[in-house]
Amino acid sequence: MQKRTHVDLSIIILSYNTASLLKGCLASVFSFQTPHDTWEIIVVDNASTDGSADMVKNEFPSVRVIRNKQNIGFSAGNNVGIRQASGTYVLLLNSDTEVGAGTIVAMLSCMQSRPDAGAATCRLVLPDGSLDPACHRGFPTPWAALTYFLGLEKMFPRFPLFAQYHQRYKDLSAVHEIDSPSGAFFLVRKTVIDTVGFLDEDFFMYGEDLDWAYRIKQSGWKIFYNPAVSALHRK
């Protein structure tokens, strides 16, 4: 019997009618993968009608494609992939992202050097070059939500009292703790998933990443933001 190769990382990419974006995402991952990187890539297709799944099979034959019969949403779709993951780490990666040079390797190193890290994210950059604020969030407590919706955070982004949701008062040039990353680039230990469970499928789309991060931190793990490397988020 052939011995199964150890997998360091399972990359889960959920697709729903984003064939062109998905192609760019996969191309970016493969362009920076080396023969030493033991990664598996799983694309979960939520019943796309634009040929996304066929494109992956034809152009990226090493990628495993799972075809759902209907659009079951972000949480449930990613959970399908997570259940098939065999990596020590699991990366949820949006199909509308493109990873930068060295990003995935650096993020794995970031996790490996911090045994208390349950999850981590890189700097997500929007097409205009600005930071995607969703990758650097505090939990939406009543006060954080109030100050955000009243515009106080925008007026006083460096003042902790009024900027609890996106926490831009922190040093954005250094690795530090956050409450929640974006589901667009959410790197997590598989053992943490085994402890806290999968994404909550009561969330069809939006909010599931905050809920997952909350459960991870409630279990005693830390979540880190690493600005040294980045990924483009076309959003």
Side-chain angles (χ1 to χ4, degrees):
M1 181 181 293
Q2 185 176 4
K3 186 177 180 180
R4 186 176 184 181
T5 303
H6 171 77
V7 176
D8 285 326
L9 175 67
S10 298
I11 302 174
I12 312 298
I13 305 174
L14 182 68
S15 169
Y16 179 65
N17 289 333
T18 58
S20 178
L21 292 170
L22 176 60
K23 183 176 179 178
C25 176
L26 287 168
S28 73
V29 172
F30 279 107
S31 66
F32 300 122
Q33 185 180 15
T34 74
H36 303 291
D37 298 320
T38 54
W39 306 343
E40 64 176 1
I41 304 174
I42 302 171
V43 168
V44 180
D45 187 77
N46 261 348
S48 295
T49 57
D50 67 347
S52 293
D54 289 337
M55 180 277 295
V56 176
K57 294 299 291 184
N58 292 332
E59 301 197 29
F60 303 93
S62 65
V63 173
R64 179 177 180 185
V65 179
I66 300 174
R67 302 175 190 244
N68 291 331
K69 294 182 179 179
Q70 60 184 353
N71 181 7
I72 58 177
F74 187 88
S75 295
N78 273 297
N79 284 344
V80 169
I82 294 170
R83 288 187 177 94
Q84 300 300 316
S86 56
T88 303
Y89 298 90
V90 173
L91 172 62
L92 301 190
L93 187 65
N94 267 22
S95 62
D96 63 348
T97 62
E98 293 178 16
V99 297
T103 292
I104 294 177
V105 172
M107 290 306 303
L108 288 173
S109 178
C110 180
M111 292 286 285
Q112 291 161 355
S113 65
R114 293 171 172 81
D116 56 350
T121 193
C122 66
R123 176 169 47 92
L124 284 183
V125 180
L126 298 173
D128 65 2
S130 64
L131 179 72
D132 181 354
C135 74
H136 189 275
R137 287 177 290 177
F139 291 129
T141 63
W143 177 253
L146 177 65
T147 54
Y148 174 73
F149 284 113
L150 289 178
L152 293 172
E153 178 186 83
K154 187 175 182 179
M155 294 172 62
F156 306 102
R158 307 295 180 187
F159 191 37
L161 180 62
F162 296 132
Q164 283 299 309
Y165 187 42
H166 290 116
Q167 301 188 346
R168 290 184 180 242
Y169 55 84
K170 293 183 176 180
D171 183 357
L172 296 179
S173 66
V175 177
H176 58 265
E177 281 189 67
I178 58 172
D179 283 340
S180 178
S182 165
F185 191 109
F186 201 128
L187 178 63
V188 61
R189 294 183 193 273
K190 185 62 163 58
T191 53
V192 171
I193 300 174
D194 294 338
T195 300
V196 305
F198 299 105
L199 293 163
D200 188 339
E201 296 184 8
D202 285 339
F203 296 91
F204 184 83
M205 188 174 182
Y206 301 122
E208 66 290 312
D209 46 8
L210 285 163
D211 173 76
W212 213 26
Y214 182 77
R215 286 187 278 135
I216 289 169
K217 296 199 77 170
Q218 284 291 101
S219 294
W221 294 94
K222 295 179 179 179
I223 298 177
F224 287 93
Y225 168 79
N226 179 11
V229 287
S230 66
L232 173 65
H233 190 195
R234 295 192 180 278
K235 214 161 185 178

